Amino acid sequence: MTSPLVSPLADLLRRKIADHGPLPLAEWMAVCLGHPEHGYYATRDPLGRAGDFVTAPEISQMFGEVLGLWAAAVWQQMGAPVPVRLVELGPGRGTMMADILRAARVLPGFRAALRVHLVETSPVLAERQRESLAGAGVPIAWHRDLGEVPDGPTILVANEFFDAFPVHQAEKTRDGWCERQVGLAPDGGFALRLGPADPNLAERIPEFWRVAPSGTLFEWRDEAPVAALARRVAAGGAALVIDYGHVDQGPGETLQAMRGHAFADPFSSPGEADLTAHVDFVALAATAGAAGAAVHGPVTQASLLKNLGIEARAAALKATNPDRAAEIDAALARLVDTKTKTGMGGLFKAIGLADPALGPLPGLIAGPTETAP
Ligand SMILES: C[S@@+](CC[C@H](N)C(=O)[O-])C[C@H]1O[C@@H](n2cnc3c(N)ncnc32)[C@H](O)[C@@H]1O
């Protein structure tokens, strides 16, 4: 699992480990993805066929359009504040925001009230967003962190954002819980190892799993980004977070690397592969609730999109574009299918976090035939 890779980021990581010792896995992930000069997101547009992965907004315009209807309905529920901040975390190519803004035309008062704020750290993708949203006709500002977005009533959307946040992993040993770290391998590459037993780690493990047998592995993320988001919407607004992940909390690891649409070794090519891990929706909901937000869902992506009318939207699109009917059907199936490996409908979940005064949010009530797997 090692390779003596030569690249500026590999050299930098090697020096860091030689000077300070092995890096916690979360720090490895943060540097590989987020290093401002050599990190994965700083150096490329990873989306699409020529990149490493495809996301829901890139599969079909219908995804962003029904989210635009969700945002318009939430704005009405909030009492139609003017202005309202429409925030997107990690907007990729800006495709989803462009589709949201087009759908928002159904409610001209909503569109006129919008101040769009895009939270993005990648200069390459921020440039793509500028191209996608040129001529959108609403004020748009870019930020590197949610904390930079001015206060005020907020509607926030985030698709495949939190899966890129660094994960910690700890393994139970006979001596106690030990954090997984990345160190140097004899051949000059990088290799996973276990850090020393640390009694403080047990506090990060849900109580039920603390008594698990040796060899049990647990994964978690820092809570601060979700807590900050939840505090913000709890004070006036709502967020819709969509990502792949699980709604049952248990042991195991989900870290994965993707390169060229195939799984890769997370340690053999730092900064060259996308690193992600499943979102733990139980932990996310608990953090958001503790920060004062009401939690709606999670439901499967299939339930959310169907509740928001994606099938009717597909029928309308096919009626005006009969030559594209097969393509529209295939995209719809990919987004809502819960049964096949390529279907995103069950693997992806949606959760709403909101001001407790708002009441139920559109689309986030589980469908009668679907429970999140
Ligand atoms: C997997 S892509 C998803 C893009 C888009 N939401 C979509 O669905 O197509 C992750 C996005 O989050 C951005 N990103 C990753 N880490 C970030 C961070 N810490 N702060 C802000 N943006 C980040 C990436 O540059 C990229 O735009």
Side-chain angles (χ1 to χ4, degrees):
M1 294 293 267
T2 59
S3 133
L5 193 96
V6 180
S7 76
L9 194 65
D11 290 346
L12 188 147
L13 284 160
R14 227 173 260 121
R15 275 200 307 277
K16 208 172 163 68
I17 294 171
D19 291 349
H20 304 289
L23 301 176
L25 180 65
E27 194 175 337
W28 167 269
M29 198 170 162
V31 175
C32 289
L33 291 180
H35 186 275
E37 199 182 341
H38 306 300
Y40 178 75
Y41 278 112
T43 50
R44 74 205 66 217
D45 171 357
L47 288 135
R49 207 166 286 183
D52 295 321
F53 55 86
V54 173
T55 57
E58 302 298 330
I59 289 170
S60 170
Q61 68 185 78
M62 298 183 286
F63 184 82
E65 286 171 347
V66 296
L67 262 49
L69 301 185
W70 178 88
V74 167
W75 178 70
Q76 289 178 313
Q77 237 173 300
M78 289 165 65
V82 179
V84 65
R85 308 209 177 275
L86 176 60
V87 181
E88 184 176 353
L89 306 181
R93 292 178 165 174
T95 308
M96 185 168 106
M97 184 53 75
D99 295 336
I100 287 176
L101 293 176
R102 191 173 55 258
R105 292 206 178 106
V106 296
L107 200 58
F110 172 52
R111 211 169 185 283
L114 288 174
R115 307 290 180 270
V116 172
H117 297 270
L118 303 180
V119 177
E120 177 63 70
T121 46
S122 160
V124 180
L125 288 171
E127 197 45 45
R128 293 297 305 261
Q129 293 152 21
R130 282 194 179 86
E131 289 161 16
S132 305
L133 296 165
V138 295
I140 304 179
W142 275 263
H143 313 272
R144 289 184 60 82
D145 187 84
L146 178 61
E148 296 170 10
V149 177
D151 286 343
T154 298
I155 298 172
L156 183 148
V157 288
N159 184 59
E160 287 209 45
F161 178 72
F162 285 106
D163 62 31
F165 271 65
V167 282
H168 296 265
Q169 290 179 350
E171 188 176 320
K172 178 100 177 268
T173 69
R174 277 184 309 180
D175 300 327
W177 289 92
C178 304
E179 184 151 15
R180 275 188 159 181
Q181 306 174 327
V182 183
L184 295 177
D187 66 358
F190 302 96
L192 261 187
R193 43 158 283 159
L194 278 189
D198 178 353
N200 296 323
L201 284 175
E203 279 165 36
R204 305 307 311 248
I205 316 294
E207 220 168 320
F208 182 76
W209 295 107
R210 286 183 203 161
V211 292
S214 281
T216 301
L217 202 79
F218 206 83
E219 200 173 71
W220 73 93
R221 287 186 166 87
D222 288 340
E223 294 168 353
V226 170
L229 184 167
R231 275 194 300 274
R232 180 171 183 120
V233 293
L240 182 60
V241 172
I242 304 173
D243 224 310
Y244 65 101
H246 41 269
V247 294
D248 49 346
Q249 208 170 28
E253 63 167 322
T254 66
L255 175 72
Q256 66 181 39
M258 290 291 284
R259 197 172 178 188
H261 299 267
F263 290 112
D265 176 353
F267 308 107
S268 67
S269 49
E272 298 298 322
D274 185 32
L275 299 180
T276 59
H278 284 206
V279 171
D280 177 344
F281 280 90
V282 178
L284 191 151
T287 302
V295 175
H296 305 269
V299 301
T300 60
Q301 175 169 300
S303 280
L304 174 81
L305 297 179
K306 288 181 186 179
N307 288 345
L308 294 176
I310 197 165
E311 288 160 321
R313 179 62 186 137
L317 269 181
K318 285 194 288 182
T320 45
N321 304 276
D323 50 319
R324 289 181 46 216
E327 174 204 326
I328 293 164
D329 280 337
L332 177 65
R334 177 110 189 254
L335 292 175
V336 302
D337 179 41
T338 55
K339 303 213 163 51
T340 65
K341 263 189 158 178
T342 49
M344 302 169 79
L347 177 61
F348 281 72
K349 317 288 186 306
I351 194 166
L353 313 174
D355 177 350
L358 280 189
L361 297 181
L364 287 163
I365 304 203
T369 56
E370 297 194 52
T371 49

